[in-house]
Amino acid sequence: MTEQASSPTADIVIYHNPACGTSRNTLALLRDKGLEPQVVEYVKAGWTREQLEALTQKMGVTARDILRERGTKAVELGLTDPSTSDEAIIAAMIMDPILVNRPIVSTPKGAALCRPAELVLGLL
């Protein structure tokens, strides 16, 4: 007899933007696997420095690696300039949450920017 988790999967978090097709597909993929993650609509909820620093550390990336350029003011703000520090990028992400690329999923196995959506499977 195999045992499946019957409790809510609070240890799985998706930083989600419902306006994003990849984010919706990633959430659907998790649900298709029988998982109900904690859904954080980060555009509404916003970010803290601590959240972003913890996520990038868990992901093993820099803030620049999760910076969303398309459809944002990243270029106008100078955030794509190689001399811009991670600290400045994080400060901008806190001021304008849409600057964080999505979806990011965090599980006990790690965290990743799930573009494409199937990357989430490696975290399960």
Side-chain angles (χ1 to χ4, degrees), residues 9 58 74 91 99-100:
T9 48
K58 188 172 184 177
L99 288 166
V100 178

PDB file of all heavy atoms in Angstrom, residues 9 58 74 91 99-100:
ATOM      1  N   THR A   9      -0.362  20.760   1.170  1.00  0.00           N
ATOM      2  CA  THR A   9       1.063  20.814   0.899  1.00  0.00           C
ATOM      3  C   THR A   9       1.597  22.221   1.150  1.00  0.00           C
ATOM      4  O   THR A   9       2.020  22.921   0.234  1.00  0.00           O
ATOM      5  CB  THR A   9       1.345  20.353  -0.542  1.00  0.00           C
ATOM      6  OG1 THR A   9       0.437  21.025  -1.415  1.00  0.00           O
ATOM      7  CG2 THR A   9       1.183  18.876  -0.706  1.00  0.00           C
ATOM      8  N   LYS A  58      18.188  29.936  -1.950  1.00  0.00           N
ATOM      9  CA  LYS A  58      17.687  28.565  -2.099  1.00  0.00           C
ATOM     10  C   LYS A  58      17.790  28.096  -3.555  1.00  0.00           C
ATOM     11  O   LYS A  58      18.045  26.925  -3.824  1.00  0.00           O
ATOM     12  CB  LYS A  58      16.233  28.486  -1.620  1.00  0.00           C
ATOM     13  CG  LYS A  58      15.675  27.076  -1.554  1.00  0.00           C
ATOM     14  CD  LYS A  58      14.303  27.057  -0.883  1.00  0.00           C
ATOM     15  CE  LYS A  58      13.798  25.626  -0.748  1.00  0.00           C
ATOM     16  NZ  LYS A  58      12.502  25.572  -0.049  1.00  0.00           N
ATOM     17  N   ALA A  74      12.394  47.406 -16.374  1.00  0.00           N
ATOM     18  CA  ALA A  74      13.749  47.003 -15.985  1.00  0.00           C
ATOM     19  C   ALA A  74      14.822  47.767 -16.761  1.00  0.00           C
ATOM     20  O   ALA A  74      15.793  48.249 -16.177  1.00  0.00           O
ATOM     21  CB  ALA A  74      13.930  45.501 -16.156  1.00  0.00           C
ATOM     22  N   ALA A  91      16.001  45.972  -4.398  1.00  0.00           N
ATOM     23  CA  ALA A  91      15.265  47.172  -3.952  1.00  0.00           C
ATOM     24  C   ALA A  91      14.193  47.536  -4.983  1.00  0.00           C
ATOM     25  O   ALA A  91      13.057  47.867  -4.614  1.00  0.00           O
ATOM     26  CB  ALA A  91      16.231  48.336  -3.733  1.00  0.00           C
ATOM     27  N   LEU A  99       8.718  43.048 -11.434  1.00  0.00           N
ATOM     28  CA  LEU A  99      10.092  42.885 -11.912  1.00  0.00           C
ATOM     29  C   LEU A  99      10.660  41.496 -11.623  1.00  0.00           C
ATOM     30  O   LEU A  99      11.716  41.141 -12.141  1.00  0.00           O
ATOM     31  CB  LEU A  99      11.002  43.959 -11.297  1.00  0.00           C
ATOM     32  CG  LEU A  99      10.793  45.375 -11.827  1.00  0.00           C
ATOM     33  CD1 LEU A  99      11.489  46.394 -10.940  1.00  0.00           C
ATOM     34  CD2 LEU A  99      11.279  45.477 -13.267  1.00  0.00           C
ATOM     35  N   VAL A 100       9.965  40.717 -10.810  1.00  0.00           N
ATOM     36  CA  VAL A 100      10.408  39.348 -10.522  1.00  0.00           C
ATOM     37  C   VAL A 100       9.769  38.419 -11.550  1.00  0.00           C
ATOM     38  O   VAL A 100       8.549  38.415 -11.727  1.00  0.00           O
ATOM     39  CB  VAL A 100      10.019  38.913  -9.089  1.00  0.00           C
ATOM     40  CG1 VAL A 100      10.447  37.479  -8.830  1.00  0.00           C
ATOM     41  CG2 VAL A 100      10.654  39.858  -8.073  1.00  0.00           C
TER      42      VAL A 100
END
